[in-house]
Amino acid sequence: MGKVAIFLSSLEGGGAERVMLNLAEGFCKNGLGVDLILVKREGSYLTQIPANVKVINLEKKRLLQSLPALVNYLKKERPLAVLSALEDTNLVALGAKFFSGVSTQVVVTVHNTLSQESRNATSLKRKIIPYVVSWFYPWADAVIAVSQGVAKDLTKLGLRSRNLKVIYNPIVTPQMKAKIQQPPEHSWLAPGEPPVILGVGRLTKQKDFSTLIEAFAKVRQQQPARLIILGEGAERLQLETLAQKLGVAKDLDFPGFVDNPYAYMAGAAVLVLSSAWEGFGNVLVESMLAGTPVVSTNCESGPAEILANGKYGKLVPVGDSEAMAKAIAQTLAESPDSKLLQKRALDFSLEKALSQYQQLLPLN
């Protein structure tokens, strides 16, 4: 077997980066060489790079500056395939193949509903991404959408289905199962404390934690509860101000980025995904593996597919704090069927995703 390259800007703590590290680990275990090519060697996930993965740091300040170095890498190393994630990085990977003239396959992965992302963007660069994608993604040997909803969105943007394939994110790994068993480092998750509602994600407009805080304030009027939101981002101050305004600041904590969010999930009473849009919704699977019930917005795209249209967790309209509060209260009042949730989570295992990737990639 040969070698696969995974190309990322950095290892900042996002769902796409986590997925790529999971795939890297799986490829290594299956006997493939894996080069992890980073524009900048930085980010919260640096400590989680699998031991057998070779890290190539291009040491560039900007993504576009990495193009000549990536062209040289492809000419010299000639991996069987390059796997990339996120739109800017995907475009550079496609450009590098074009300029290098090598036969290496480039497989780009799409982790978000791009039409929604573009509608909510403030920068021109983000607003035109759907058009850029429709021009350049046909150059890819394959385009992987992380949910049927993302694939449908790409088709609407004009991408032909010929090289478009859906592979759900590889979420469940042996390491995650071990981390779920570890005690969470938070006093609120100790036995005998009020139930904890958990949110996990970047503090950005997409994740819409404002609606979650408003829903939490409504739940707090009915019963004792606490809210923990894991993650960092530009909206932290705005969210803290909202909590003060609603009078729930003393029952809300923002620990930031934590190394083991899975232990928090295991200790929480319910996890809530409040996003305005998604590509998949990794945290839903992670929480279900921990046996913890979930409530999610029925946003495009991913949550309804993961939860089988409400079979495995309540779905509520985007931005509706009243409906979210009601779903949270109902979930807190019910006894979760942890075994059912855990069984469903296993549908999104690394093994299942790997077999699909390995059928797709020219690995022999």
Side-chain angles (χ1 to χ4, degrees):
M1 278 194 169
K3 177 165 66 176
V4 173
I6 292 175
F7 179 53
L8 296 170
S9 281
S10 69
L11 287 177
E12 290 300 338
E17 291 84 355
R18 174 74 266 162
V19 162
M20 287 294 148
L21 286 179
N22 286 353
L23 285 172
E25 184 174 350
F27 288 141
C28 282
K29 283 186 176 170
N30 286 3
L32 277 168
V34 179
D35 286 350
L36 176 61
I37 307 169
L38 300 174
V39 177
K40 289 180 282 193
R41 186 177 178 134
E42 63 182 31
S44 311
Y45 287 144
L46 281 175
T47 57
Q48 298 177 33
I49 298 171
N52 295 337
V53 170
K54 181 182 177 183
V55 180
I56 296 170
N57 180 15
L58 301 183
E59 297 185 69
K60 303 298 179 186
K61 289 185 178 178
R62 301 177 68 84
L63 175 60
L64 202 53
Q65 292 171 346
S66 71
L67 179 58
L70 187 59
V71 169
N72 290 337
Y73 167 84
L74 290 178
K75 284 180 175 177
K76 182 184 174 189
E77 298 293 335
R78 297 182 180 262
L80 296 170
V82 174
L83 204 57
S84 63
L86 305 177
E87 274 49 62
D88 294 359
T89 321
N90 289 344
L91 294 170
V92 170
L94 290 168
K97 177 177 178 176
F98 177 79
F99 289 116
S100 64
V102 298
S103 60
T104 295
Q105 288 202 4
V106 174
V107 176
V108 301
T109 62
V110 183
H111 292 257
N112 229 328
T113 308
L114 297 186
S115 61
Q116 287 271 18
E117 192 172 43
S118 130
R119 274 198 293 274
N120 287 277
T122 51
S123 71
L124 177 62
K125 178 181 158 187
R126 288 279 153 245
K127 284 186 179 296
I128 66 168
I129 275 287
Y131 305 102
V132 176
V133 159
S134 65
W135 297 331
F136 290 102
Y137 277 17
W139 295 6
D141 294 282
V143 178
I144 305 296
V146 299
S147 67
Q148 296 290 347
V150 167
K152 188 176 174 184
D153 186 59
L154 287 168
T155 306
K156 284 182 186 171
L157 296 178
L159 208 68
R160 293 195 303 274
S161 57
R162 179 182 57 82
N163 64 345
L164 180 60
K165 185 172 177 62
V166 175
I167 302 180
Y168 286 127
N169 279 341
I171 304 299
V172 178
T173 65
Q175 288 83 351
M176 182 184 295
K177 291 176 184 176
K179 285 185 171 184
I180 283 170
Q181 306 301 325
Q182 294 173 10
E185 297 175 353
H186 202 293
S187 60
W188 288 2
L189 294 167
E193 294 291 322
V196 167
I197 300 157
L198 184 66
V200 182
R202 287 193 174 119
L203 309 183
T204 61
K205 181 180 179 182
Q206 177 185 354
K207 302 301 180 182
D208 193 14
F209 286 123
S210 297
T211 296
L212 174 55
I213 293 170
E214 288 166 2
F216 171 63
K218 291 178 170 70
V219 172
R220 277 287 288 106
Q221 290 170 359
Q222 302 166 32
Q223 66 177 92
R226 287 168 172 161
L227 174 61
I228 296 175
I229 298 178
L230 302 179
E232 281 295 353
E235 293 203 341
R236 176 187 267 268
L237 183 59
Q238 180 186 324
L239 295 171
E240 288 173 340
T241 304
L242 176 63
Q244 292 280 0
K245 180 184 166 190
L246 296 174
V248 294
K250 66 179 173 50
D251 289 319
L252 169 57
D253 191 28
F254 291 93
F257 183 90
V258 300
D259 284 336
N260 186 3
Y262 317 119
Y264 282 73
M265 292 172 184
V270 59
L271 176 134
V272 182
L273 186 147
S274 52
S275 299
W277 71 94
E278 277 291 345
F280 183 69
N282 295 353
V283 295
L284 295 175
V285 176
E286 292 163 356
S287 182
M288 289 159 68
L289 185 68
T292 298
V294 296
V295 169
S296 177
T297 52
N298 191 13
C299 66
E300 296 181 51
S301 301
E305 293 175 49
I306 295 168
L307 300 181
N309 295 313
K311 179 180 178 182
Y312 297 100
K314 291 180 170 55
L315 291 161
V316 300
V318 170
D320 188 337
S321 62
E322 193 69 51
M324 189 178 287
K326 185 179 177 185
I328 292 169
Q330 288 174 343
T331 304
L332 290 174
E334 295 165 357
S335 295
D337 188 342
S338 294
K339 292 280 190 289
L340 181 72
L341 296 175
Q342 289 165 334
K343 185 180 177 187
R344 174 58 173 165
L346 294 176
D347 289 336
F348 307 99
S349 68
L350 176 58
E351 291 78 12
K352 288 196 174 186
L354 268 178
S355 69
Q356 292 176 280
Y357 272 99
Q358 295 195 184
Q359 286 170 30
L360 183 75
L361 298 173
L363 301 181
N364 296 318

